[in-house]
Amino acid sequence: MDSQAYQDSIHSQLSGMFGTGTTEGTATGGSFAYTEADISKIRDNWLDLADSYQTSMYNADRMSKIKSPAEDMASTFHVTAANRSGQSYTNYLKHNRDYCLQQAQLFQNALDDYLGVEHINVAVINNAGGQPGPQAGM
């Protein structure tokens, strides 16, 4: 498809959406439905990703502890830059790990609401390494 035909195709598809003054699509009646197993799996995927970032943080720690081979200006400069870079990378990994844990917590909250139980902190799940169910006394 040439460039003009492609643009015309996009224009004709979008004109139906915007011709009515709304941004609603033409398909109606769609919805999302999750089962308990779906919500648990998504939560577990977020926790697995958080664990992966945690492992990377552990491995990256060595990147910010480089020692200079000599005390000349060039060696000192390069070691300082390498250590800063390693620390920056570790901060990036920490940010992403924390984001994954937040997302896992949101899915855990949704699961708890679905099951009608009090909210469980995903840190408990992550530390236990298991699948939580409704917890006695919660």
Side-chain angles (χ1 to χ4, degrees), residues 77-92:
F77 174 78
H78 286 291
V79 164
T80 300
N83 287 338
R84 277 192 201 139
S85 179
Q87 186 58 51
S88 178
Y89 182 61
T90 300
N91 291 343
Y92 158 81

Side-chain angles (χ1 to χ4, degrees), residues 15-82:
S15 66
M17 270 199 311
F18 296 113
T20 62
T22 67
T23 57
E24 294 177 8
T26 56
T28 59
S31 65
F32 292 99
Y34 294 102
T35 65
E36 178 182 347
D38 294 334
I39 297 169
S40 293
K41 181 65 177 163
I42 295 169
R43 179 211 53 217
D44 292 346
N45 287 343
W46 280 111
L47 289 172
D48 289 344
L49 191 53
D51 284 342
S52 178
Y53 278 115
Q54 183 65 44
T55 300
S56 294
M57 285 172 57
Y58 174 77
N59 293 331
D61 185 53
R62 291 177 279 168
M63 292 174 60
S64 61
K65 294 182 179 173
I66 298 171
K67 296 188 184 198
S68 179
E71 295 198 23
D72 61 286
M73 190 169 105
S75 294
T76 302
F77 174 78
H78 286 291
V79 164
T80 300

Side-chain angles (χ1 to χ4, degrees), residues 117-121 124 134-138:
V117 298
E118 287 189 36
H119 288 187
I120 298 170
N121 190 320
V124 172
Q135 303 291 314
M138 295 223 169

Side-chain angles (χ1 to χ4, degrees), residues 43 46 98-108 122:
R43 179 211 53 217
W46 280 111
D98 292 348
Y99 177 80
C100 292
L101 290 173
Q102 290 168 359
Q103 294 304 306
Q105 185 64 60
L106 291 174
F107 278 92
Q108 182 62 48
V122 293

